[in-house]
Amino acid sequence: MTDVHHELSDERTPLLSTARDNRTDALSARNQNFKLYVSVMLAAFVVVINFGEIIQLAPQTRVMESIYCREYYKEVDPSLIDEHGNVPERYCKIDPVQSNVAYLIGGVWFFQFLPGLFLALPYGALADKYGRKWILALNAIVAFLQNIAVYIILAYPHIFPLQLIWLVSVGAVFGGGNVVITALVFAIIADVFTEAERTNVFFWLVSAYLLPDVFAPFLSSFLMRWSPWLPMSIGVASYMIPVIIAIMLPETLSILEEKLGHTKHMLNEIQGDDTPAEDSNEEHNTWTHWARRGLNWIYDSVYFAFTDLRVAFLLGAFVIYTQGLISIRMVLQYISTRYHWTYAQAQVLRSVQATIKIVVNLAVLPPLSKWLMEKRNLSSKSKDLYMARACFICYCLSWFVEAIAPNVIIATLGLAIYALGNAGSALIRSLATSLVEPHHIGRLYGLISIMESIGLMLWGPWLAFLFHAGMKMGGGWIGLPYLISSLFYGIAVLGLFFLRLRPGEVGDRDRGDEEGRGEVSSSSPATSTTIVVEQQQHIS
């Protein structure tokens, strides 16, 4: 009887084991399919938003220019206005017109990032409590409506003043705007993917995100032969797609809650909030509560940043870095004005720059990082510092070349040099991360987002003023904004060379990096930073 039971057990065990293995394989396959679905949907989300912004960039600027140009020549020389109410583009490259365009765009940048500076914390808390999906969908809907509103304002300038576009930008109070969008993309990926998987996902997303920068300017330039309104209409319509994608995305907050059942309690301990998560009441849902908590967070964050002056300096470097994002946006207007190119011609240079960025991301940075750590025996911190110095030297040199460029060829060289420093923001973020304790990383990222928002708000009006001043001075002084940008980047370069790593800072994280040389550290958010910054640059 025992032998029979033993035989039955031997026959049954492989079957049960096979069934369990099959279930495990099925669950694993379903999990991989889910991850693939989320990553593809997020890639489509950011790519379409980037496409919608890029394809509108030149024609939108050209329409703004044509409106100011028509208003100017109504007073000065009405004979230049044709029967359709247009002035030939070559007559519009003058200070009264271009200064108005620069101030309008600078104001858009200021008001676009103003809401996120104050609302990122409350909307982030809402996303942590109620989920990421619907906050992301709300932002996508707002972006779509904002694009429609800008289109209408530009179509009827005799009814709406162009400055009304600034008010449209403030519409980001509903959702939080760019800062919240990029934070939500990061949060969704962090919910779904493991630390080991995130680097590759971010790397893939960044490469995909840059694709519209390669082909959208050519498409926009081709369509502008007929009318700037054609690419603008396509761009506005494309913003409907991210709304659909956001709605189709699964809610991932539940995945995070399964991974970290006590997340709220841990966060309360880290942030010094003694109120248990389960005791939350109506008072905690008021704006007064969030304002008080925000002020406490700011006070604690400032104290935290200045405990290590190197971290404070790196936070300041983010403010300097963001001027490059505004300067890139101004390149179309600068090249069109200085070298008398049409906007349709000038925007093709963006494709050149985007192509170089993709090559740098795919073929230069990974092997260079590996070489520095394997062959030069540099720690992760040292590698980030050396590469950050090189990137900021590229920024400094590129804008100096741009400022003095006597022709378009040299100006294109300046843009190419800037593209070589594509990873600068990611590297200083990675370096700053390695200088703080792990439980302070969330606070550090919050401070970085705030510093980037402040920089983007301030540099827009400031560079517009410098552009106007340069045009007033005449001649080569039109490159004044880029000369000043080069100066500030030079200050950042000096600071990075004075920044020193302490002998005792090669801790566990760096040793772990050195044991696994050739791989990007999971604690290093290099690629994620690229997404955050590029999204802030492109999303309208």
Side-chain angles (χ1 to χ4, degrees), residues 328-393:
I328 283 293
R329 172 66 191 257
M330 288 182 63
V331 158
L332 282 178
Q333 186 182 5
Y334 171 72
I335 289 177
S336 177
T337 303
R338 180 165 188 171
Y339 307 111
H340 303 286
W341 275 32
T342 65
Y343 280 103
Q345 294 170 324
Q347 70 172 330
V348 175
L349 297 181
R350 288 185 65 94
S351 297
V352 175
Q353 188 190 46
T355 302
I356 294 172
K357 281 185 177 181
I358 291 176
V359 171
V360 168
N361 275 341
L362 294 176
V364 177
L365 291 180
L368 177 60
S369 178
K370 183 178 180 180
W371 180 78
L372 288 172
M373 297 184 75
E374 285 187 349
K375 303 299 183 183
R376 305 300 297 176
N377 295 321
L378 295 181
S379 67
S380 176
K381 289 188 184 75
S382 299
K383 179 261 299 179
D384 287 343
L385 180 57
Y386 279 113
M387 291 179 68
R389 289 169 178 169
C391 287
F392 273 74
I393 288 173

Side-chain angles (χ1 to χ4, degrees), residues 137-159:
L138 173 62
N139 277 285
I141 292 169
V142 170
F144 178 48
L145 295 176
Q146 285 177 312
N147 274 267
I148 292 174
V150 171
Y151 188 94
I152 293 172
I153 291 169
L154 293 177
Y156 299 100
H158 55 286
I159 299 176

